[in-house]
Amino acid sequence: MTDRIREFLRTRRPDGPCLVVDLDVVREKYLSFAKAMPDTRVFYAVKANPSPEVLALLAELGSCFDTASVPEIEMALAAGATPERISFGNTIKKERDVARAFELGVRLYAVDCEAEVEKIARSAPGSKVFCRILSDGAGAEWPLSRKFGCDPEMAPRVLEHAHRLGLEAYGVSFHVGSQQRNTGAWDAAVASAAGIFREMADRGITLKMVNLGGGFPTRYLKNVPVVEAYAQAISDAILTHFGNHVPETIIEPGRGMVGSAGVIKAEVGLVSKKSDGDDVRWVYLDIGKFGGLAETMDEAIRYPIKTERDGDELAPCVLAGPTCDSADVLYEKEPYWLPVSLEIGDEVLIEGTGAYTTTYSAVAFNGFSPLKSYVI
Ligand SMILES: *Cc1c(COP(=O)(O)O)cnc(C)c1O
């Protein structure tokens, strides 16, 4: 929560559930990444929060952009980024989208297999490609697991294929899992990347770049290390595994850039019990999994929730959303402690919601509007 968001909510009294994003926090986060990692270029992961104001601010501050689709590329361009500052970082692209990205000037692409390399070679000839390698996401609260990346053993073959087809085999990427609270998580991946650099050098191809991905956390209920601690751990890993041959590096923060900049204002719609003997109350909010809080899936992300009655006695609650889908329950396995005095109509503030909320909100499930967003 920031004073600016508090003041906005007090004076504007926006109706319905809504997200308020404070651009001052985004600016501060960008500058802290840039300062802690001065030799590393920042590619903001657009999917975390693609609001035009956020993109325009980051473009003005000098950020580059990691995109996953043609519309995201167009949003980054509209915000003022030039195409050299945009990567097409999705490893799963339609070839016609690659062609469109190429037309728009994008020259940096992610791949994780030979079939994807062939699409790029045909539709974005001469471009730079980096090969994403698998990472188990251990220690991350929102692991990205096996969907993206190839085994490090396979990467040299993929990159050599790119080289033979006239592309520039440019580097290696990975993502250590989102909301990664272990600063040591980068070490093993950097070691794999260094191994691939050596293997490629033996084949006569010089790689240049390591894309360190995202994973930088937002503070939810538990403390998280500061950006400087991540910067130090990553710099140590590079020194250990690359020695004097320090590669060009980029990072792709999403959550760590915008998560703490946003607060969702929501309302208690119902407080009830399922039986007289029930000692866990059900608290239903006017926002749930389909209104933007999708990352509560498997209760992975636990948001801090503030009420006007904080300080009163607490009791465990099942917390649920307003829609007619029984999957729309936020926290049940591990009930959420809220004030016993909480009542229907009370306002609640859900903090740390600047990332992965508006974009996850359904279009009109049960007729509920997508999550409204105010960027201030
Ligand atoms: C989503 C994504 C990111 C951002 O991850 P965070 O954990 O939110 O920082 C970075 N890179 C790629 C390729 C992604 O898909």
Side-chain angles (χ1 to χ4, degrees):
M1 176 53 81
T2 68
D3 288 344
R4 295 181 68 226
I5 295 178
R6 197 174 289 116
E7 188 57 18
F8 176 87
L9 289 172
R10 197 181 63 78
T11 54
R12 291 281 298 273
R13 311 241 29 103
D15 190 35
C18 64
L19 169 70
V20 187
V21 174
D22 184 343
L23 285 176
D24 282 356
V25 179
V26 180
R27 178 182 293 106
E28 205 178 283
K29 289 287 170 188
Y30 177 83
L31 295 175
S32 69
F33 279 115
K35 180 154 177 268
M37 306 177 85
D39 301 320
T40 299
R41 279 202 301 167
V42 176
F43 281 66
Y44 169 63
V46 171
K47 73 176 186 291
N49 188 324
S51 79
E53 298 91 338
V54 168
L55 299 182
L57 170 68
L58 289 171
E60 181 198 314
L61 291 171
S63 186
C64 302
F65 297 88
D66 172 54
T67 64
S69 65
V70 170
E72 281 191 353
I73 293 169
E74 288 168 342
M75 286 187 256
L77 290 169
T82 49
E84 317 84 70
R85 285 162 65 189
I86 297 173
S87 67
F88 201 162
N90 193 343
T91 51
I92 305 143
K93 304 172 280 302
K94 283 184 187 162
E95 190 165 333
R96 57 183 179 278
D97 291 342
V98 173
R100 180 70 187 132
F102 187 72
E103 245 172 45
L104 291 170
V106 176
R107 297 290 181 270
L108 183 59
Y109 297 83
V111 295
D112 66 1
C113 65
E114 283 142 313
E116 194 71 17
V117 164
E118 284 162 19
K119 292 183 204 167
I120 315 276
R122 283 189 298 264
S123 295
S127 293
K128 293 174 174 164
V129 295
F130 53 89
C131 184
R132 180 153 171 186
I133 55 173
L134 280 168
S135 162
D136 63 7
E141 288 177 21
W142 190 258
L144 302 169
S145 74
R146 292 189 53 78
K147 181 170 174 184
F148 313 101
C150 63
D151 192 292
E153 296 273 307
M154 175 174 150
R157 203 174 77 218
V158 173
L159 287 164
E160 188 170 10
H161 194 54
H163 176 79
R164 287 223 198 86
L165 294 181
L167 295 167
E168 183 177 353
Y170 195 58
V172 175
S173 77
F174 51 80
H175 194 302
V176 296
S178 199
Q179 187 68 7
Q180 176 56 266
R181 288 167 51 229
N182 175 14
T183 59
W186 276 260
D187 186 75
V190 170
S192 297
I196 297 165
F197 270 58
R198 282 193 296 273
E199 172 65 29
M200 293 303 290
D202 289 347
R203 300 181 189 199
I205 298 164
T206 309
L207 298 182
K208 299 203 179 81
M209 186 265 301
V210 178
N211 176 345
L212 301 153
F216 307 94
T218 285
R219 188 184 187 289
Y220 297 114
L221 290 167
K222 296 177 200 150
N223 267 323
V224 296
V226 293
V227 168
E228 291 74 16
Y230 287 88
Q232 188 62 53
I234 288 171
S235 153
D236 290 349
I238 301 244
L239 215 62
T240 306
H241 303 294
F242 282 88
N244 289 331
H245 305 282
V246 175
E248 191 185 304
T249 49
I250 71 178
I251 51 171
E252 301 175 329
R255 188 187 306 276
M257 188 77 85
V258 292
S260 62
V263 173
I264 285 174
K265 183 204 80 129
E267 185 179 318
V268 176
L270 180 66
V271 180
S272 68
K273 286 190 169 188
K274 301 291 174 192
S275 70
D276 292 339
D278 218 352
D279 51 7
V280 177
R281 292 169 306 154
W282 282 67
V283 172
Y284 300 89
L285 302 178
D286 61 355
I287 184 171
K289 274 205 170 75
F290 301 101
L293 302 179
E295 287 198 315
T296 56
M297 205 186 296
D298 300 326
E299 309 193 12
I301 300 291
R302 281 180 89 77
Y303 295 106
I305 299 175
K306 299 285 157 65
T307 77
E308 296 153 66
R309 302 179 194 275
D310 289 353
D312 290 3
E313 187 196 340
L314 300 175
C317 308
V318 175
L319 196 65
T323 66
C324 299
D325 188 316
S326 56
D328 190 11
V329 175
L330 306 178
Y331 306 117
E332 180 175 20
K333 273 181 283 173
E334 202 183 319
Y336 203 99
W337 290 69
L338 288 170
V340 182
S341 51
L342 197 68
E343 280 181 13
I344 294 169
D346 279 4
E347 184 178 294
V348 302
L349 298 173
I350 311 173
E351 298 186 334
T353 41
Y356 304 122
T357 51
T358 53
T359 41
Y360 273 148
S361 174
V363 176
F365 183 47
N366 275 160
F368 291 110
S369 308
L371 181 59
K372 259 186 281 176
S373 155
Y374 301 91
V375 180
I376 59 171

